[in-house]
Amino acid sequence: MPSPTAPTALIADDEPALARHLQAQLGKLWPELHIVCLARHGQEAAEQIAALKPDLAFLDIRMPGLTGLEVAQGIEGLTRVVFVTAYDEFAVQAFEAAALDYVLKPVSVDRLARTIERLKSALLTPTEPQASLAQALHQLQHPAPAATRLRWVRASQGELTHQIPVDEVLFFQADDKYTCVQTAQKEYLIRTPIAELVAQLDPELFWQVHRSTVVNIAHLEGTRRDEASRLWLRIRQHASELPVSRAYVHLFKAM
């Protein structure tokens, strides 16, 4: 039975053998660490992090459903993320520039030991995520050039294809199979994933505020904090408020 004060961690990897190997290595190098879950894919990782609120989450970057990057974007609590990735020079440079924790596959004992020492120090003084986290994740996911920016979104309904100017879009919001395109007059459904849309939208106007939501700031009416200090957005000509993930709260501090 782990101590009530023992640090906790979740491991997410769609390859069970690799997840168990990392669990075994952590058990040898950090026996006090209690692994609360071995998640098999990104959606399970996101759900279990929200439910269990572990101190740490070791997230494989490439997973079905949600990637490790997308899971990290949606974390609301103080769970600290460690990315687990096969060697990618661009990704490693981005992680190091933002001081994000990562380990490379195959996981080496020496590298994992150094990561553990940093994590132990970090857990002594838990803080809000760095403002650079959202930018680093965005850079990793959406390196597309500005020349690909969208001006129109096409959404089919029956035999009719609607040509929707992006300026009229209040926000985009993804669910399991579709992405909702919300205008002041109507809601349309498209199959283009949020990640592909963000890569083509003007970043000055369209801000990602959650792993599943991108808002058009030109239509922002205001912000509100609830009793739990969670930030919500109010959009003109839309009745419902939209939540802001913790990684993106810093975007609104000047408002």
Side-chain angles (χ1 to χ4, degrees):
M1 179 69 67
S3 164
T5 59
T8 57
L10 170 145
I11 297 173
D13 197 314
D14 61 318
E15 299 184 56
L18 295 180
R20 290 193 297 270
H21 175 70
L22 178 56
Q23 181 182 24
Q25 294 291 83
L26 288 168
K28 293 177 183 177
L29 297 172
W30 196 355
E32 301 83 10
L33 182 68
H34 178 47
I35 306 300
V36 295
C37 178
L38 295 180
R40 298 161 296 176
H41 48 72
Q43 186 61 44
E44 182 181 10
E47 293 171 356
Q48 292 301 313
I49 289 171
L52 301 173
K53 297 178 174 57
D55 298 306
L56 303 169
F58 291 83
L59 303 177
D60 183 27
I61 288 184
R62 296 186 180 277
M63 291 187 289
L66 296 174
T67 67
L69 301 176
E70 291 169 328
V71 173
Q73 286 176 316
I75 293 175
E76 297 294 341
L78 291 175
T79 300
R80 187 176 182 89
V81 171
V82 181
F83 293 108
V84 183
T85 178
Y87 183 73
D88 182 310
E89 185 176 358
F90 174 67
V92 167
Q93 289 175 349
F95 291 151
E96 290 179 343
L100 303 180
D101 287 306
Y102 70 94
V103 293
L104 298 176
K105 292 181 177 180
V107 177
S108 73
V109 173
D110 290 344
R111 182 65 180 85
L112 185 58
R114 292 197 299 272
T115 297
I116 288 172
E117 290 307 309
R118 287 203 307 273
L119 293 172
K120 287 181 177 179
S121 298
L123 291 178
L124 293 176
T125 55
T127 60
E128 288 296 312
Q130 305 158 2
S132 59
L133 173 60
Q135 290 94 324
L137 297 179
H138 180 88
Q139 180 186 4
L140 285 162
Q141 290 178 287
H142 316 304
T148 62
R149 289 176 186 169
L150 287 178
R151 295 179 59 196
W152 308 87
V153 176
R154 292 185 177 183
S156 297
Q157 292 182 335
E159 297 181 353
L160 181 63
T161 297
H162 298 271
Q163 188 98 334
I164 309 161
V166 294
D167 291 345
E168 295 181 7
V169 176
L170 305 182
F171 59 86
F172 297 94
Q173 193 163 49
D175 61 18
D176 290 339
K177 296 182 179 179
Y178 299 94
T179 296
C180 164
V181 182
Q182 182 69 56
T183 69
Q185 292 77 31
K186 197 170 182 179
E187 174 184 289
Y188 304 88
L189 296 178
I190 60 175
R191 290 187 178 271
T192 307
I194 281 285
E196 289 185 22
L197 287 171
V198 172
Q200 300 176 62
L201 293 167
D202 183 351
E204 297 295 324
L205 288 177
F206 288 89
W207 294 5
Q208 186 159 15
V209 299
H210 189 276
R211 68 168 173 256
S212 63
T213 310
V214 176
V215 300
N216 186 343
I217 294 301
H219 297 287
L220 179 66
E221 183 175 49
T223 63
R224 177 183 70 85
R225 283 193 180 272
D226 61 19
E227 295 179 354
S229 293
R230 191 175 188 189
L231 190 67
W232 297 81
L233 304 183
R234 293 182 177 178
I235 306 297
R236 295 188 186 95
Q237 298 179 287
H238 186 71
S240 301
E241 294 181 325
L242 302 175
V244 179
S245 288
R246 188 169 56 97
Y248 298 101
V249 167
H250 71 279
L251 297 173
F252 300 90
K253 285 187 176 178
M255 294 185 176

